[in-house]
Amino acid sequence: MVRVQRMLDACAELLDEGGYTNLSTTRIAERAGVAIGSVYQFFPDKRAITQALGLRYLDLFTARVRERLSAGGHSHWIQAADAIIDEYLEMHRTVPGFRSLHFGDVVDTRLLDSATENNRVIAARIRTLLTSVAGASESEDLDRAVTVAVEAADAVLKLAFRTEPDGDPRLIEETKILLRNYLGHHFG
C-alpha cells in the first residue's frame, strides 16, 4: 500500500535527521503527508513503525544479497561473505534510515522478531541464502558458524562506522579477513 510505504519512507528520513529518540508518530504523519489516524490505522506506536521499517530493510538486504550471490563469481561459498559485507556497506551508505536503524538494534535487540535477537534473525536469513544460492550444506556447524560470523561482523562494522562516517576501510577489510579466515577454518 502506497500510504504505508510513504510512512515508512518518512520514518527512515526522520531517523536519519534526529534518531529514534526524536521520532514520533506525529512527525511521521506530517512528513508522510497523512493524517495521524492513518498512522495509527497501521501502527500503534513509533516502535511498530520502526519494526516494519527494520523488516523492510531485512527483506531488501536479503533480496540484494541473493542477487549478488546469484551473479556468481565465487569458487566457494565462503567467499560469499565478502558479497554480504559489501551489500551491508552499500545499504548503510545509500539507503535512507538504514544507517540510523540498521536492522533495529538501535531500538530493541528483538525488534525484528519478539522471540529472537535481531542478529539471530539475520543469521537465519544469511544461512538460507548460503544454502539456497551459494552452495553451502545445511548443518548445525553451519548454523553456529553463521551466528558467530554475524555477531563478529556486526561488532567490527559498528566500530568501523563509529570511527569514520562512511566506515573505516581498514576495519572493513579486517572484517572480511576475519570472516574468511574463521569460515575457512571450519569449512575450507
Side-chain angles (χ1 to χ4, degrees), residues 87-121:
E87 189 54 53
Y88 175 86
L89 296 171
E90 180 67 20
M91 287 183 66
H92 197 278
R93 293 172 180 151
T94 65
V95 174
F98 188 80
R99 177 184 297 261
S100 302
L101 187 63
H102 304 275
F103 292 113
D105 56 334
V106 173
V107 176
D108 183 346
T109 58
R110 293 179 186 262
L111 186 69
L112 300 175
D113 180 337
S114 62
T116 309
E117 290 180 347
N118 296 335
N119 278 350
R120 292 220 179 233
V121 173

Side-chain angles (χ1 to χ4, degrees), residues 137-177:
S137 297
E138 215 29 93
S139 70
E140 284 183 34
D141 289 343
L142 179 67
D143 291 349
R144 185 175 44 262
V146 171
T147 298
V148 169
V150 167
E151 292 289 344
D154 182 49
V156 180
L157 289 174
K158 282 178 180 170
L159 175 62
F161 282 98
R162 273 197 318 266
T163 58
E164 291 190 27
D166 282 330
D168 181 329
R170 295 164 303 193
L171 289 174
I172 291 167
E173 185 58 30
E174 291 295 326
T175 304
K176 291 179 177 182
I177 292 167

Side-chain angles (χ1 to χ4, degrees), residues 34-85:
V34 301
I36 189 68
S38 291
V39 174
Y40 289 125
Q41 178 183 359
F42 298 100
F43 306 105
D45 53 28
K46 73 178 188 178
R47 184 188 184 285
I49 197 165
T50 54
Q51 179 182 44
L53 183 61
L55 290 168
R56 179 170 85 168
Y57 290 152
L58 182 58
D59 289 343
L60 177 62
F61 177 74
T62 302
R64 289 169 66 159
V65 168
R66 180 178 300 281
E67 186 176 311
R68 279 182 188 254
L69 296 180
S70 295
H74 311 292
S75 59
H76 191 280
W77 68 263
I78 292 171
Q79 294 174 339
D82 282 5
I84 293 166
I85 297 294

Side-chain angles (χ1 to χ4, degrees), residues 76 78 183-188:
H76 191 280
I78 292 171
L183 295 171
H185 173 75
H186 288 287
F187 302 100

